[in-house]
Amino acid sequence: MIEMEQVYKTYPNGVLAINGINIKINQGEFVYVVGPSGAGKSTFIKMMYREEKPTSGKIIINGVNLAKLKESRVPYLRRGIGVVFQDFKLLPRLTVFENVAFALEVIGESQKNIKKKVLDVLDLVQLKHKARSFPDELSGGEQQRVSLARSIVNNPGVVIADEPTGNLDPDTSWEIMNIFEEINNRGTTIVMATHNREIVNSITRRVIVIEDGKVVRDEARGEYGLYD
């Protein structure tokens, strides 16, 4: 479960990005985070994997309060959280297989387990045939599928996605969403910040709307709304 209690985030320049958010997300939920540009969505998302630290309040994921977590423990926290970015963040000199395997190598997984897990997850995202390819040999959609494979290869309980379809064409975006749905159907919690109105309105899930750093709407099967 993810829980935020009276969370505030003020940046050094004085900008109040998060203004007293209280939210609970249960295990297995699929949640969209939407709202206008500059509303605080990215800060909200980044605090969940401790890229940003709250100024005050509690953020509890898997029983751990991220606000009080020592920096040395952050890598261990992230073993249970998969993160998918808009710009993929793949390592250009590593193959598809090696990019995904890297997430397991850093936690000391055995080579035997790495091979099995990587091939299984590449099969899930339909890229097993591209295992030896390099990122610059892939389309944008394929690169995002590699990024998604890397985020779930360790079977995390939570996957956090920040605009995962932002750089993709409509058809490719739907392919990525189908994979997210499959992951969610397996019991993984999905929290996705997005500006894609069509996806939110078509694949109806819980919608949390953030404006001016506050949650202004939270609906179990919501719609996108009128935002830029």
Side-chain angles (χ1 to χ4, degrees), residues 30-167:
F30 192 132
V31 180
Y32 296 114
V33 181
V34 306
S37 296
K41 298 189 304 298
S42 287
T43 300
F44 178 85
I45 289 290
K46 287 178 179 179
M47 287 194 301
M48 289 186 184
Y49 59 94
R50 255 298 289 270
E51 180 71 17
E52 295 288 352
K53 189 175 180 180
T55 305
S56 63
K58 295 180 181 179
I59 302 176
I60 298 173
I61 298 182
N62 298 329
V64 177
N65 185 357
L66 275 59
K68 295 184 177 181
L69 189 65
K70 294 180 180 179
E71 291 298 326
S72 61
R73 302 302 300 175
V74 171
Y76 297 95
L77 166 82
R78 291 176 180 168
R79 291 182 183 183
I81 301 173
V83 184
V84 184
F85 303 96
Q86 180 176 347
D87 56 354
F88 319 138
K89 297 191 184 300
L90 300 178
L91 299 169
R93 295 186 179 181
L94 299 186
T95 65
V96 166
F97 184 97
E98 291 166 340
N99 262 280
V100 179
F102 184 74
L104 296 172
E105 289 168 352
V106 296
I107 63 172
E109 190 74 72
S110 71
Q111 287 301 312
K112 181 180 178 181
N113 285 343
I114 287 174
K115 183 176 181 180
K116 182 181 187 308
K117 289 183 177 182
V118 172
L119 291 178
D120 284 349
V121 79
L122 288 179
D123 193 37
L124 173 64
V125 301
Q126 301 176 3
L127 280 178
K128 207 170 182 178
H129 62 294
K130 297 277 189 175
R132 296 183 179 179
S133 299
F134 289 89
D136 63 2
E137 298 173 323
L138 306 177
S139 67
E142 288 171 336
Q143 289 185 59
Q144 188 60 293
R145 279 189 272 161
V146 176
S147 175
L148 187 46
R150 182 183 57 193
S151 77
I152 63 173
V153 70
N154 196 35
N155 195 30
V158 178
V159 170
I160 297 168
D162 194 359
E163 301 286 351
T165 63
N167 289 333

